[in-house]
Amino acid sequence: MSCTRFIPQIQEMVDGTLGAIRRAELDMHLEQCDDCRSLLEDLRRIHDAAASLDELQAPDRVWLQIAGRLRQEGRLADTPASSTPRRSHVALLAVAAALVIAVGASLMLLWPRAGTTPAPAQAGAATQPGTAPAASGNPAAVNSVEDVENELRQAEQHYETAISRLQQIANSNQSSMDPQVAATLQKNVQVIDQAIAESRAALRTEPTSAPARDSLFEALRQKVTMLQDTIALMNEMRKGNSAGAAQVLNKS
Amino acid sequence: MCRGGQRGAGSATSKMTTRPSVPAKPGEGPRAAELALVERCRRGELGAFEELYRAHAGRLFSLACRMLGNPADAEDLLQDIFLAAHRKLDSFRGEAALGTWLYRLATNQILDHVRSRAGRAGQVTDGLEDATVLPDAGEHRLGDRAIGRIDLERALAQLPEGCRAAFVLHDVEGLEHREVAEVLGIAEGTSKSQVHKARLRLRAILGSVRHQP
């Protein structure tokens, strides 16, 4: 644009601070300058669009983390669970819900990450002449795609066994829990189960995808960790130990 | 958050509760309710602090998100802001509205974060005192289509931090240039040039988005 000297006046027009004399000068210029008219229109629209932006909603996990921190730092009134069951219940429910969110968020982050588990093709390449074996101490185990897949299946089986045992403990303890808290914790399992199902579906589509394998194992590992945390949380809740429950949250 | 209406110089409607210089009258109805809420928070009532949080978190999260250009950082900072607020509740006397008090606290924390991030990144250019005005990108006209909220939020995140902060406070939050200058610790003229620069950059960014096939 050749008439840059009018830009400050156009901006002040948008601000609503342009004086009458300079406004008249600008109006005269605008009558004969398409570029400046367009600029004024665009800047006004940007200003108006910015002014009408909606308020963003803070994720619930922020409050849950704040509540956990306040409790952990002893900045809340000390209220034993037996005397004020409702307040304790609400706080612990918040702690339980935070587990859902923390686990869900961490799983979301897994997808774009580069894989660390060698894909079968990569494992095969590592055993070519002149290169070191990929797996230390067990080069024969990575000699074929089949071997790698067998190992992965075994590893998955180990996870499944651990999950099954932990799930039994968690289920047996849930009978003594408040139904609302139990329902919230159940969401944890659903979030992870969904991630596991999606990872398995991705593996079915691309059996050699290292990121898909990583996601599956990470989801399984998360489920083990989450169940361990759930059990620890149940123990603390049964004892009415809010600080202990907050520690479980912070650990996770 | 107070929105709506034409804002700018002479407008008396722009986010009154957020303004640093708005006088307060202790004992008025809403203020008395705020003092009572703060007192409950001081006594350690989690429910009271949650009430305070729910009333103000959205506005402060929006401010942090837009000034930082990064929702994850904004979440962390929102947590820090409310934890700091809880620690400092004893210093709240009700001279200003609770929203104003929190807004000041939040802007200070956000700006500290911006400055420390800029310092860590070794960014010495385009600071808050940078008054460079870009030449207009005439080829980036917006055309007739409306400016989408998501497009604008994305474009905001691409602005340099200095002019983004001034733009958010002025055009989004509705503060006047003198108030933006007070909050950011810059000259009023610098606030104007930063806001103006931001608008031109946004036009170029939004215009280029529109011209993509």
Side-chain angles (χ1 to χ4, degrees):
Chain A
M1 186 193 297
S2 60
C3 37
T4 52
R5 79 183 182 89
F6 285 101
I7 292 178
Q9 281 164 266
I10 290 170
Q11 294 273 18
E12 286 177 50
M13 186 98 156
V14 176
D15 286 347
T17 58
L18 188 64
I21 295 173
R22 296 174 71 221
R23 165 83 187 255
E25 183 192 16
L26 179 62
D27 283 342
M28 283 179 63
H29 174 71
L30 291 175
E31 280 180 15
Q32 52 194 326
C33 183
D34 286 344
D35 282 345
C36 286
R37 272 201 308 276
S38 166
L39 177 63
L40 175 62
E41 176 62 21
D42 285 354
L43 297 189
R44 271 184 170 153
R45 287 173 59 201
I46 288 169
H47 172 80
D48 293 347
S52 59
L53 278 176
D54 291 333
E55 189 169 288
L56 304 173
Q57 192 174 2
D60 279 347
R61 62 178 163 266
V62 178
W63 165 249
L64 297 171
Q65 285 160 350
I66 290 169
R69 284 277 298 276
L70 291 174
R71 194 167 291 282
Q72 190 184 27
E73 293 172 16
R75 286 153 64 182
L76 300 177
D78 192 9
T79 49
S82 55
S83 60
T84 53
R86 177 64 192 163
R87 186 177 302 163
S88 172
H89 161 77
V90 170
L92 290 170
L93 180 60
V95 169
L99 278 172
V100 183
I101 295 157
V103 168
S106 62
L107 286 173
M108 290 291 191
L109 295 173
L110 288 172
W111 284 101
R113 206 168 64 189
T116 51
T117 306
Q122 292 167 328
T127 57
Q128 286 171 358
T131 58
S136 61
N138 192 13
V142 292
N143 275 341
S144 70
V145 170
E146 200 174 309
D147 288 338
V148 173
E149 287 181 340
N150 282 336
E151 281 203 344
L152 291 172
R153 266 196 292 273
Q154 283 174 16
E156 190 178 340
Q157 188 58 48
H158 284 306
Y159 273 120
E160 293 288 3
T161 306
I163 286 168
S164 171
R165 287 175 184 162
L166 287 166
Q167 189 77 62
Q168 282 174 3
I169 298 169
N171 289 342
S172 66
N173 278 291
Q174 278 191 14
S175 57
S176 60
M177 279 177 70
D178 181 284
Q180 211 178 339
V181 176
T184 305
L185 288 169
Q186 190 58 37
K187 281 186 184 173
N188 292 12
V189 179
Q190 288 169 359
V191 168
I192 296 182
D193 282 347
Q194 188 180 347
I196 290 171
E198 286 171 5
S199 298
R200 285 197 168 124
L203 267 177
R204 276 195 295 275
T205 309
E206 289 183 78
T208 58
S209 166
R213 286 184 194 281
D214 284 350
S215 293
L216 175 60
F217 281 106
E218 187 58 25
L220 291 168
R221 190 189 65 74
Q222 287 275 6
K223 187 164 181 180
V224 170
T225 304
M226 189 277 298
L227 287 169
Q228 287 170 334
D229 287 341
T230 301
I231 292 164
L233 185 64
M234 286 169 174
N235 286 336
E236 298 301 335
M237 291 170 79
R238 207 164 33 202
K239 289 186 279 184
N241 183 359
S242 303
Q247 280 177 353
V248 173
L249 166 64
N250 284 312
K251 178 174 115 15
S252 64
Chain B
M1 189 187 296
C2 175
R3 282 200 173 83
Q6 186 67 32
R7 298 173 311 172
S11 166
T13 60
S14 60
K15 301 189 173 55
M16 291 294 288
T17 57
T18 67
R19 294 183 168 204
S21 53
V22 176
K25 294 178 184 173
E28 284 182 349
R31 198 60 50 81
E34 284 185 347
L35 284 169
L37 179 66
V38 167
E39 182 52 34
R40 287 171 55 213
C41 294
R42 283 181 187 139
R43 288 200 299 262
E45 283 188 33
L46 182 61
F49 195 62
E50 181 171 4
E51 191 180 324
L52 184 153
Y53 172 87
R54 301 279 175 211
H56 301 281
R59 183 163 53 92
L60 300 185
F61 179 66
S62 304
L63 178 70
C65 236
R66 287 165 184 152
M67 284 184 73
L68 298 177
N70 181 334
D73 285 354
E75 280 183 35
D76 290 345
L77 205 54
L78 188 65
Q79 200 183 137
D80 291 345
I81 288 165
F82 277 94
L83 288 170
H86 194 271
R87 273 195 299 274
K88 294 180 178 180
L89 279 173
D90 282 341
S91 69
F92 178 75
R93 297 276 180 268
E95 290 97 348
L98 187 56
T100 306
W101 184 79
L102 281 168
Y103 196 84
R104 275 189 200 154
L105 186 77
T107 48
N108 286 337
Q109 293 234 13
I110 293 166
L111 290 170
D112 283 349
H113 185 87
V114 167
R115 288 182 180 120
S116 98
R117 190 167 68 178
R120 281 198 305 275
Q123 294 172 5
V124 291
T125 58
D126 198 48
L128 296 177
E129 289 292 344
D130 181 2
T132 308
V133 175
L134 291 180
D136 178 42
E139 68 276 19
H140 287 146
R141 290 185 181 191
L142 296 184
D144 295 332
R145 284 173 52 195
I147 299 171
R149 182 187 62 79
I150 294 172
D151 285 343
L152 183 56
E153 296 276 13
R154 282 182 183 156
L156 258 179
Q158 295 177 49
L159 290 177
E161 283 186 337
C163 70
R164 184 168 63 224
F167 178 84
V168 168
L169 290 173
H170 186 274
D171 276 22
V172 180
E173 295 291 310
L175 271 64
E176 293 175 11
H177 282 300
R178 109 187 120 72
E179 295 168 324
V180 174
E182 186 186 335
V183 170
L184 297 182
I186 57 177
E188 191 173 333
T190 308
S191 168
K192 286 182 184 174
S193 67
Q194 291 286 4
V195 172
H196 297 172
K197 182 169 78 168
R199 286 185 195 141
L200 291 175
R201 286 213 183 198
L202 286 171
R203 186 192 190 216
I205 294 166
L206 292 166
S208 66
V209 168
R210 265 153 224 288
H211 284 88
Q212 283 172 1

